Amino acid sequence: MPRHASFRFCLVPSVEQERVLSQHVGAARFAFNQALRLHKNAQVVVALRTQGQTPVEDADGGPAAHRVPWTGFDLINAFNTWKRSESAGRRFLVGMDLTARVDVTGLVWRDQVLAQVFEEAVVDLSRGLKAFTDSRTGTRKGRKVGFPRFKKKSATGGSFRIRNRTNKGRATIRFGDGERVRSVSLPKIGILRVRECTRRLRRMIIKGRARILHVTVSQGANRWWISITVEAADLHPAMRHSPELVETVAEEGDPQPARHGEEGWVGVDRGLHALAVAGVSDGTEVLRVTNQRAFRRGLPRLRRLSRAASRKRRGSRNRRKAVVRLSRQHARIRNRRHHMLHQVSNQLVKNHDRLVLEDLNITGMTSNRKLSRAIGDAAWGELGRQITYKQAWRGGQVMMADMWFPSSKTCSSCGTLRKDLTLKDRVFECRECGLVVDRDLNAAVNLAAWAENHTPTVTDGAGRGVARVGDRQAAGPVTNAHRQNTPTHHDVRRRDGEGLDDVGTSQTAPAA
Ligand SMILES: [Zn+2]
């Protein structure tokens, strides 16, 4: 099973290179918007035709559309036809005999940028369209997705994506080319300097343990970034949980909850007071991580910078500088939070082969205005996502406890339900058996006990092997226009090299 991982580095482009990068960002935005325009126009044209009317040839509509392009493939074709068409660009030529003729040039600057950038942007649009229709038909869960909108030009954003190809036996995207080790070579753009050490990625590639799929170059917080998605080999067996241990859990006809001399299932309670508390069913606490509240800590400065930015005159140079300072503060907060989350998830998956989390309705909870900011800051969804994919890499198991399981309100000793427990009660006190225990540990222990009782063998034979449940909060799959059958890797695609102690090492972005 191929594993998808990604790396992120900061780029140091020269002034000339920065111009080229901006040009590519602009080209990606342009292609996205133009394809959206083609799609919308085609919808109008087709609608008019079905009503029996003859549509007026729209200048921007490209070829007279007979059907609306929806898929990435159709949209790319529509865009490619358009970019060579007269509506994309033409020239009037007047000959010596003063007869004028029209010379169709198509999009004149199309050769200045890598054609792939257009394609990938159009693919993004097709994903947006699909998300919209899926959301409308109910195929897609979660928040309602709106119809794709035109992208605006922004001072601090934008990105483009390039796929890796092989040209004459050589990959088109290479790291450490030429005399500079800290560099990346991109087709058409050239060799760019990379700020961090890329050794780990290069070693993985050289040893054939990783293959670059695509890179995304983005602009943010006044810097240029490159994130690299690789298809990587499985983790070293020494880093994986013993397969026998996992196998025996799924053994049929074993009525006893699985315990193999190890601790069994470990419940992880995600909270606001403590970011995560992990416990086993016998009541032992195995991990407690205090919530660093990156956002709350960074908020005063964020407020100040945001006020400063809004006071500057619109469109002024000072305004732009202030916006950059603000975006860097946002990035700093984000980096601190992610650093923390990676540490926690690494610690959990490294030491425990079976983890059980609560299936949280985060979208629902964030609608509580008093708590939404704190919940967003804790990033429970991201923590769950990281635990899920990292545990999959290590061959361990992650189970999601039922959303309605009252893990906080149940006594972990006698099982009595305390319905009057409020969010303020930090300590759980049982009126039946007199247990007094930390609220979060109580919840974690309950989760662990729940998992022991819900291992596939205990429920029924049919549910066997379903213990590795994906987190509902995990991000969607990466689709690719040219590879329709990409393996599902919905939970293993974010920045993270090997998933070990990578936090704080070379691949982690520095605080901007
Ligand atoms: Zn009790």
Side-chain angles (χ1 to χ4, degrees):
M1 181 189 79
R3 186 167 69 93
H4 288 234
S6 62
F7 292 80
R8 187 173 182 245
F9 302 116
C10 188
L11 291 173
V12 196
S14 67
V15 176
E16 173 58 19
Q17 285 174 330
E18 205 167 340
R19 202 186 57 77
V20 176
L21 293 179
S22 298
Q23 203 175 15
H24 279 80
V25 167
R29 184 181 59 238
F30 176 85
F32 183 96
N33 288 342
Q34 181 56 32
L36 183 55
R37 213 167 284 137
L38 291 173
H39 173 83
K40 283 182 157 180
N41 288 347
Q43 265 191 331
V44 174
V45 168
V46 169
L48 283 173
R49 274 223 181 84
T50 48
Q51 288 167 16
Q53 300 178 37
T54 359
V56 188
E57 199 63 43
D58 189 51
D60 236 4
H66 285 276
R67 70 195 180 103
V68 184
W70 279 97
T71 61
F73 185 76
D74 284 348
L75 283 163
I76 286 173
N77 279 340
F79 180 83
N80 284 344
T81 315
W82 173 84
K83 79 177 178 191
R84 282 185 281 269
S85 74
E86 193 181 332
S87 52
R90 59 181 175 182
R91 219 165 25 188
F92 288 101
L93 296 177
V94 180
M96 291 296 278
D97 51 352
L98 298 178
T99 49
R101 67 185 173 87
V102 179
D103 183 24
V104 175
T105 55
L107 196 64
V108 275
W109 51 269
R110 66 175 190 262
D111 292 330
Q112 290 173 28
V113 292
L114 194 63
Q116 270 190 52
V117 169
F118 290 133
E119 287 168 23
E120 294 294 307
V122 175
V123 167
D124 286 344
L125 172 67
S126 74
R127 281 181 203 160
L129 288 170
K130 189 173 187 306
F132 167 71
T133 46
D134 284 356
S135 184
R136 270 227 310 207
T137 54
T139 332
R140 185 189 161 101
K141 285 186 201 160
R143 276 206 184 101
K144 276 267 170 273
V145 178
F147 190 78
R149 277 178 286 189
F150 290 107
K151 282 188 196 292
K152 272 190 222 152
K153 190 173 181 179
S154 96
T156 54
S159 67
F160 63 90
R161 188 170 60 238
I162 306 175
R163 261 169 293 117
N164 191 19
R165 285 175 171 165
T166 316
N167 189 14
K168 292 174 193 136
R170 253 180 126 201
T172 50
I173 298 170
R174 296 179 301 271
F175 277 83
D177 238 20
E179 55 213 77
R180 266 222 182 87
V181 178
R182 293 185 178 191
S183 71
V184 56
S185 159
L186 300 175
K188 196 120 188 174
I189 295 167
I191 297 177
L192 291 158
R193 261 182 71 204
V194 176
R195 192 181 293 260
E196 293 99 351
C197 172
T198 60
R199 184 164 179 269
R200 184 166 183 172
L201 173 63
R202 279 186 288 117
R203 276 178 68 95
M204 280 171 82
I205 294 167
I206 291 165
K207 288 186 169 177
R209 298 193 59 245
R211 192 170 62 85
I212 296 176
L213 297 176
H214 53 83
V215 298
T216 302
V217 178
S218 60
Q219 195 180 14
N222 206 25
R223 283 174 210 269
W224 286 92
W225 306 91
I226 186 166
S227 52
I228 306 104
T229 306
V230 299
E231 191 174 57
D234 282 341
L235 288 184
H236 191 270
M239 282 161 73
R240 291 171 63 89
H241 296 297
S242 150
E244 302 87 61
L245 207 69
V246 179
E247 288 288 281
T248 41
V249 179
E251 200 94 52
E252 236 175 325
D254 179 9
Q256 293 295 314
R259 285 204 159 251
H260 298 274
E262 297 245 339
E263 66 215 335
W265 286 91
V266 173
V268 181
D269 179 67
R270 291 171 280 179
L272 294 180
H273 197 69
L275 182 62
V277 173
V280 286
S281 60
D282 65 4
T284 323
E285 182 176 299
V286 292
L287 181 77
R288 174 175 290 265
V289 187
T290 49
N291 193 352
Q292 299 289 318
R293 294 178 190 178
F295 186 77
R296 202 167 80 169
R297 278 198 302 155
L299 194 60
R301 191 179 153 88
L302 200 64
R303 283 210 171 110
R304 188 155 43 78
L305 291 173
S306 143
R307 263 199 310 270
S310 63
R311 272 200 296 262
K312 306 280 183 292
R313 208 178 68 230
R314 280 182 172 274
S316 69
R317 202 173 271 244
N318 278 332
R319 169 92 163 205
R320 205 172 342 156
K321 281 192 279 183
V323 166
V324 162
R325 275 195 290 270
L326 178 63
S327 69
R328 286 178 69 170
Q329 175 65 2
H330 273 296
R332 195 175 292 129
I333 291 171
R334 197 166 52 237
N335 287 342
R336 276 193 201 134
R337 180 187 294 139
H338 271 242
H339 178 83
M340 183 74 203
L341 292 173
H342 276 293
Q343 277 186 321
V344 175
S345 55
N346 283 340
Q347 240 179 351
L348 283 169
V349 301
K350 196 158 90 176
N351 299 325
H352 313 291
D353 63 337
R354 276 161 281 165
L355 294 168
V356 51
L357 304 170
E358 205 174 359
D359 192 352
L360 299 167
N361 175 16
I362 292 164
T363 319
M365 279 191 233
T366 48
S367 57
N368 178 339
R369 285 174 59 191
K370 280 183 185 162
L371 286 177
S372 62
R373 187 193 282 159
I375 291 171
D377 198 6
W380 290 334
E382 175 62 16
L383 183 62
R385 194 188 68 83
Q386 287 182 7
I387 289 173
T388 310
Y389 80 73
K390 287 182 184 179
Q391 189 70 308
W393 285 0
R394 286 175 180 268
Q397 290 177 310
V398 174
M399 197 144 84
M400 285 291 153
D402 184 64
M403 201 186 283
W404 308 112
F405 173 62
S407 61
S408 301
K409 296 182 178 179
T410 311
C411 170
S412 57
S413 174
C414 69
T416 316
L417 200 64
R418 253 201 71 177
K419 285 192 173 148
D420 57 341
L421 194 81
T422 64
L423 272 173
K424 281 196 185 106
D425 297 325
R426 298 310 318 158
V427 174
F428 183 94
E429 284 174 60
C430 181
R431 293 193 190 112
E432 292 294 319
C433 68
L435 175 81
V436 178
V437 65
D438 174 78
R439 175 209 179 90
D440 301 327
L441 177 60
N442 182 54
V445 171
N446 278 327
L447 285 172
W450 182 90
E452 303 274 1
N453 292 322
H454 286 78
T455 40
T457 52
V458 181
T459 48
D460 63 356
R464 219 161 74 87
V466 295
R468 195 179 293 161
V469 183
D471 192 337
R472 292 185 335 117
Q473 279 93 43
V478 177
T479 48
N480 192 316
H482 294 266
R483 281 181 47 193
Q484 295 294 332
N485 300 322
T486 35
T488 47
H489 44 264
H490 61 278
D491 44 4
V492 287
R493 68 181 185 92
R494 273 296 157 79
R495 185 198 95 209
D496 212 67
E498 301 264 32
L500 236 203
D501 292 316
D502 43 20
V503 169
T505 60
S506 56
Q507 61 171 293
T508 312

